[in-house]
Amino acid sequence: MTHFLVLLLALLIGVVAGLRALTPPAVVAWAAALHWINLDGTWAQWLAHPITVTVLTILAVVELITDQLPKTPSRKTPVQFLARLIVGAFAGAVIGTAWGYTFGGLGAGMIGAVLGTLGGYEARTRLVAATGGRDLPVALVEDVVAVVGGFAVAALTAVV
């Protein structure tokens, strides 16, 4: 895979982190477990372990549920934003590691997380306003975009 494609996929998994922070770690763990990416002998090989995949999947599902709660803080609060940057960088680094571009993937994932956090916030805010303040349908669509988008990125790592 070319350096450009690896960085593009790392950027895109970072965008997913901006939408849902715990989806990218679960997705890259599934990608490793399904052998879509090869992490054998790398710092990230532990992601393919069934216990890791299970724990990260449960955490991602819990996040999808808690995001619907009215007291969930904005993704733009410092703690939430920082968590998305870290997770985006981590997931990007994992994707980059599979092709020897760990640090490039880390940077691309972090940039993607900024784009996903700010862009996702703006999109959701505008869509909620356009639907008369109905947040739940918009939040559910965002969940689907994050999960399907995350798995699409992971699947592309196996194809390209």
Side-chain angles (χ1 to χ4, degrees), residues 37-87:
I37 56 176
N38 181 10
L39 299 175
D40 292 341
T42 71
W43 63 272
Q45 70 184 8
W46 57 274
L47 283 168
H49 193 281
I51 292 174
T52 305
V53 174
T54 302
V55 169
L56 290 174
T57 300
I58 290 168
L59 290 173
V61 169
V62 168
E63 180 188 30
L64 293 174
I65 294 166
T66 60
D67 182 64
Q68 312 311 319
L69 301 175
K71 294 194 181 217
T72 301
S74 168
R75 71 186 86 202
K76 289 174 47 176
T77 62
V79 171
Q80 298 288 332
F81 197 97
L82 181 61
R84 291 165 196 276
L85 291 178
I86 290 168
V87 170

Side-chain angles (χ1 to χ4, degrees), residues 70-130:
K71 294 194 181 217
T72 301
S74 168
R75 71 186 86 202
K76 289 174 47 176
T77 62
V79 171
Q80 298 288 332
F81 197 97
L82 181 61
R84 291 165 196 276
L85 291 178
I86 290 168
V87 170
F90 168 77
V94 170
I95 288 175
T97 294
W99 286 274
Y101 302 119
T102 303
F103 292 107
L106 184 144
M110 186 177 289
I111 291 167
V114 171
L115 297 173
T117 301
L118 299 177
Y121 176 84
E122 285 300 317
R124 183 165 172 178
T125 301
R126 291 175 188 207
L127 286 170
V128 168

Side-chain angles (χ1 to χ4, degrees), residues 127 136-146:
L127 286 170
L136 182 60
V138 176
L140 294 174
V141 168
E142 188 179 12
D143 289 345
V144 171
V145 168

